[in-house]
Amino acid sequence: MKINLLSCDAPRPDRRAIAQCIAEISSNNDMASSNNLTDILLEGDAIEIEIADRNTGSALRALRKLSIDYEIIE
């Protein structure tokens, strides 16, 4: 499943926690690319990631917990 991460509405976003979450839920990102994607997200640009189907429910819960807005693409 592909999702767009649109923004992070947390007052003080935890950069490390967001990067760790992206690395864990994404099916094709390592920690270095997750750090880059986190920087892009926190600058205000949307990013697209692919989630393995087995992780869908827990991945979406983790994103909501970090106050990350997302939209499901497919």
Side-chain angles (χ1 to χ4, degrees):
M1 174 169 72
K2 289 185 181 182
I3 61 171
N4 268 342
L5 303 181
L6 304 173
S7 65
C8 181
D9 295 336
R12 293 179 15 167
D14 186 349
R15 211 175 270 276
R16 188 177 60 90
I18 294 170
Q20 182 76 25
C21 179
I22 291 172
E24 288 177 5
I25 67 173
S26 177
S27 60
N28 55 359
N29 288 323
D30 59 2
M31 196 60 190
S33 62
S34 295
N35 284 326
N36 291 334
L37 291 174
T38 299
D39 291 339
I40 293 168
L41 177 67
L42 294 179
E43 289 173 1
D45 296 327
I47 58 172
E48 181 179 309
I49 62 171
E50 187 165 342
I51 299 175
D53 288 332
R54 59 181 165 69
N55 293 342
T56 304
S58 60
L60 297 179
R61 273 191 304 278
L63 292 172
R64 285 191 300 270
K65 185 176 179 181
L66 292 169
S67 299
I68 297 174
D69 292 330
Y70 61 88
E71 68 179 0
I72 299 172
I73 299 171
E74 58 180 66

